[in-house]
Amino acid sequence: MPILESTYKPPFQFKNGFIATVYSGLFRKVNLRQQRVRINTRDADFLDLDWSYTQDKSDAVMILLHGLEGHAQRPYVTATAKLFNQNGVDAVCVNFRGCSGEDNRFYHSYHSGATDDLDDVVKHCIKQGYSKIYIKGISLGGNITLKYLGEDREVPEQIKSAIAISVPVHLNGSAVELHKPKNKAFAIRFKKHLVDKLKVKIIQFPDRISVTEINSIKTLKDFDEVYTSKAHGFKDALDYYEQSSSLQFLKNIKVPTLLINALNDSFLSSECYPVKEAKHNDNLYLEMPKFGGHVGFIQKNNIYYNEQRALDFILNL
C-alpha cells in the first residue's frame, strides 16, 4: 500500500513536538459520561471497561486502548470515544490491569505485548451483539493492537478495521530514545508511576520482589529488567522488547489498519516508521505527518487530527 500523504497542519505554536506532547498530556480537557463494567479475564483476573454510547442503539463499537500508565479517562482516549459516539458508534475505553484505580489480583500486570486481554475484550463485545468492531490503540496500546492483529490467531470477522497512533513498533529502539536527555522529563514521570505501583505489589507479594530490587530501579529499562520481564516470562528486558515489538507482526495484518506516527515524535526511533512493511501489505496504511509529537495532533476545535482521521478511515473503507 502506498505511504499516505499527510494533510496535518498544526497551529504554529504546536509545530514543536515537545510542546504538542506536553500540552496534550497535561492541559487538554474532554467531558464524557462513562459507565463502568468489570469483566473477568481468562486467567481469573479482571478488567474495568468504561463505556459510552451513541443516542440510538448501535451494532458498532470502538475499542480504545491507552498508553503506558494511562487510563480510560485520559483525553486522548475519551475524545475519540466522544467523536465516535456522535457518529453512531458506541465506545469502550479499556483500563489495563492496575490502571483503573484498583490493583489487579496477580503479580503480573499489563505490558506492551500482552494481547490476551484485548482478545477477551473483543469476545466480550461480540457477546454483547456487536457485529462491527473497530480498535484504536495509542502508544503502548497501539503496539498491542498491531501485535494482536498480526499474531498467529483467528481474528474475529467482526473486527473491521484498526487505527494505531504514536506507536513504538520497535520497542528496543524506542527504549533507547526514551533514555536520551531529550526525553528525561517523560522518562522520570513514567518511572515514578511504575515504581509506585510496584511498591503496592510488594505488600501483597513479598516473596516475588524485594525492597532492594525496587531501590535498584534507576531507569525505565531497569524497571523492565527487574519487573516486566520476570513477571511475564521473559529472560530479560531485551527479550521482552524483541518478543513484544509489533514490527515483526505487521506483515501478517489482514484487516485494514491505519498507523500514524509523527516524524517529530521524540519517543520513536527510525525503526518505528515501517515504510517497507506498509509497501508490502495492502492492509497496512502508514501516515507520517511532519508534526504531531507523541499523541499531540492538536487542532483548533478540540477534535485532534488523529481522531478525525480514525473516523474518516472507518467511514471510507
Side-chain angles (χ1 to χ4, degrees):
M1 179 58 59
I3 307 304
L4 300 181
E5 191 73 29
S6 181
T7 60
Y8 176 54
K9 295 180 180 179
F12 177 79
Q13 65 271 32
F14 296 119
K15 288 185 175 181
N16 181 286
F18 178 83
I19 293 175
T21 302
V22 171
Y23 178 87
S24 299
L26 296 181
F27 300 107
R28 189 185 188 192
K29 305 295 181 185
V30 176
N31 294 318
L32 179 69
R33 179 176 296 178
Q34 296 173 304
Q35 299 176 19
R36 178 158 293 182
V37 174
R38 177 167 291 185
I39 66 169
N40 292 318
T41 60
R42 65 190 65 188
D43 64 347
D45 209 338
F46 68 88
L47 290 174
D48 286 329
L49 310 180
D50 293 328
W51 288 82
S52 60
Y53 302 95
T54 186
Q55 281 191 334
D56 301 316
K57 184 174 175 59
S58 177
D59 66 342
V61 63
M62 167 63 82
I63 298 172
L64 289 151
L65 307 178
H66 61 75
L68 181 65
E69 285 307 282
H71 51 73
Q73 283 70 54
R74 293 299 300 272
Y76 64 76
V77 173
T78 56
T80 299
K82 186 174 184 177
L83 179 62
F84 274 74
N85 293 163
Q86 292 169 343
N87 287 273
V89 179
D90 292 341
V92 54
C93 301
V94 179
N95 293 280
F96 291 132
R97 301 186 190 207
C99 294
S100 66
E102 181 179 340
D103 194 25
N104 58 302
R105 295 170 182 150
F106 301 121
Y107 183 64
H108 63 268
S109 184
Y110 75 99
H111 64 79
S112 295
T115 55
D116 282 350
D117 287 354
L118 172 55
D119 192 48
D120 286 344
V121 174
V122 168
K123 289 176 179 175
H124 176 73
C125 290
I126 293 172
K127 287 181 180 179
Q128 302 307 304
Y130 290 104
S131 61
K132 290 179 287 188
I133 297 174
Y134 313 108
I135 306 172
K136 183 183 180 188
I138 296 90
S139 194
L140 176 147
N143 190 77
I144 291 173
T145 299
L146 297 171
K147 182 172 178 283
Y148 170 80
L149 293 173
E151 287 177 326
D152 184 19
R153 71 167 75 238
E154 189 71 30
V155 175
E157 64 179 5
Q158 289 88 347
I159 297 179
K160 303 304 181 185
S161 65
I163 302 96
I165 306 298
S166 300
V167 185
V169 299
H170 188 269
L171 292 175
N172 189 46
S174 183
V176 170
E177 295 300 316
L178 277 169
H179 285 82
K180 291 181 178 180
K182 63 181 179 178
N183 286 315
K184 184 176 181 179
F186 299 114
I188 290 173
R189 184 180 176 89
F190 283 136
K191 182 180 73 86
K192 181 184 184 304
H193 283 295
L194 291 164
V195 170
D196 285 347
K197 284 188 174 179
L198 202 50
K199 290 176 179 177
V200 173
K201 285 197 177 294
I202 195 175
I203 298 171
Q204 188 178 359
F205 303 97
D207 58 326
R208 298 294 300 273
I209 192 167
S210 67
V211 173
T212 300
E213 287 175 301
I214 292 178
N215 289 339
S216 74
I217 299 173
K218 307 301 181 185
T219 67
L220 284 171
K221 186 176 182 181
D222 290 342
F223 180 86
D224 290 332
E225 288 282 0
V226 170
Y227 173 72
T228 312
S229 59
K230 291 180 172 60
H232 300 97
F234 302 101
K235 290 184 294 185
D236 52 26
L238 184 58
D239 183 47
Y240 158 54
Y241 298 152
E242 288 180 347
Q243 290 198 47
S244 299
S245 293
S246 60
L247 182 62
Q248 61 200 305
F249 298 98
L250 298 181
K251 63 181 180 294
N252 302 325
I253 292 176
K254 295 181 174 62
V255 300
T257 300
L258 172 65
L259 170 59
I260 302 179
N261 278 353
L263 293 173
N264 69 342
D265 187 335
S266 67
F267 291 17
L268 304 184
S269 65
S270 60
E271 298 94 340
C272 294
Y273 302 93
V275 173
K276 181 181 72 173
E277 287 77 8
K279 285 183 176 179
H280 288 86
N281 185 344
D282 288 345
N283 291 304
L284 181 62
Y285 298 72
L286 176 63
E287 182 175 340
M288 298 176 289
K290 184 177 180 181
F291 307 107
H294 193 73
V295 201
F297 299 92
I298 299 166
Q299 293 188 149
K300 293 180 180 179
N301 57 1
N302 204 31
I303 297 175
Y304 280 21
Y305 177 78
N306 70 90
E307 295 151 7
Q308 186 63 53
R309 283 289 289 118
L311 181 63
D312 293 343
F313 185 70
I314 72 160
L315 291 179
N316 292 322
L317 288 175

